[in-house]
Amino acid sequence: MTVRTAILISGSGSNMETLVRSMTGDHPARPVLVLCNRPDVAGIERAAGLGVPVHVVDHRRFADKAAFEAALDARLRDYQTDLVCLAGFMRILSAGFVEKWPHRILNIHPSLLPKFRGLDTHARALAAGETEHGCTVHEVTPALDDGPILGQARLAVDPDETPEALAHRVLELEHRLYPAVLRRVAAGDRSPLQLD
Ligand code: GAR
């Protein structure tokens, strides 16, 4: 049975593109929908160019978070979504929303969780003198950037590099890690993957 996969984005959508491109051939999942909470970002054209239905659900047009999340939920159900991949989606989902999709939401985060939850992960990793850094794919639970780890990829930090250069190198790792984890999860394997 095909795992119908939706991808939620807020920005450039480079992770979304690698996920969409990975879901071909004998892959157990297929992309059915891209949702974007911002009307003006590059990821929208990118999704359209890949031939995936894309809908903007602009959080600023709703009275509150509950109404925004109800609209997201309705779109996901319209497309009979089985699995949701957050890919640079920059809204924090409420516990109520997450609990409606138990074990069915994945997220990629640009740090080696549990280190550096939240924002500005690369600058914080450099400031902390970390010798290693990377990215994590995890199951989404109500607590921010928490939940069972499904995969990590790591690199050696060059203490002289800028946060931007480090972000670029981590993003390349993300593009390897997320498709690999998605494939395993869609096939029913949630054991943590370590990529080097
Ligand atoms: C990625 O680095 C992703 O890990 C990060 O945003 C970037 C999105 O890039 N996500 C978060 O920080 C989530 N809190 P993309 O739009 O090109 O995939």
Side-chain angles (χ1 to χ4, degrees):
M1 202 193 76
T2 303
V3 178
R4 296 175 61 83
T5 302
I7 305 168
L8 272 56
I9 65 171
S10 302
S12 75
S14 71
N15 276 291
M16 176 275 297
E17 177 163 358
T18 63
L19 292 178
V20 167
R21 290 194 185 282
S22 74
M23 287 183 265
T24 58
D26 66 355
H27 197 294
R30 285 293 181 273
V32 296
L33 171 66
V34 171
L35 288 178
C36 183
N37 70 299
R38 299 182 60 94
D40 52 1
V41 294
I44 297 168
E45 284 297 310
R46 206 166 188 159
L50 291 163
V52 182
V54 51
H55 293 274
V56 174
V57 182
D58 182 348
H59 62 280
R60 293 166 303 186
R61 298 175 68 93
F62 295 88
D64 54 25
K65 191 181 186 91
F68 166 61
E69 291 184 342
L72 286 181
D73 188 76
R75 281 292 188 203
L76 293 171
R77 292 182 197 281
D78 285 346
Y79 283 82
Q80 289 126 40
T81 301
D82 298 310
L83 192 64
V84 178
C85 292
L86 308 184
F89 183 69
M90 303 306 279
R91 306 301 297 173
I92 295 173
L93 295 168
S94 71
F97 182 91
V98 171
E99 282 159 6
K100 282 189 191 168
W101 296 86
H103 310 292
R104 296 211 275 158
I105 310 176
L106 313 184
N107 181 43
I108 188 151
H109 182 76
S111 77
L112 293 172
L113 290 173
K115 289 184 174 174
F116 309 114
R117 296 186 168 98
L119 300 175
D120 298 324
T121 56
H122 310 298
R124 287 161 60 209
L126 284 166
E130 294 291 327
T131 55
E132 99 153 357
H133 185 48
C135 53
T136 302
V137 177
H138 65 97
E139 197 173 297
V140 173
T141 57
L144 179 68
D145 298 330
D146 202 10
I149 289 176
L150 300 168
Q152 289 189 313
R154 55 195 72 231
L155 50 66
V157 175
D158 169 357
D160 296 326
E161 73 189 317
T162 62
E164 293 72 25
L166 183 55
H168 180 78
R169 292 203 297 132
V170 171
L171 191 60
E172 287 177 350
L173 279 186
E174 295 181 37
H175 295 163
R176 288 175 48 218
L177 179 68
Y178 211 174
V181 171
L182 171 61
R183 188 178 183 110
R184 286 156 67 97
V185 168
D189 179 2
R190 288 184 182 239
S191 60
L193 172 68
Q194 291 294 335
L195 281 190
D196 293 311

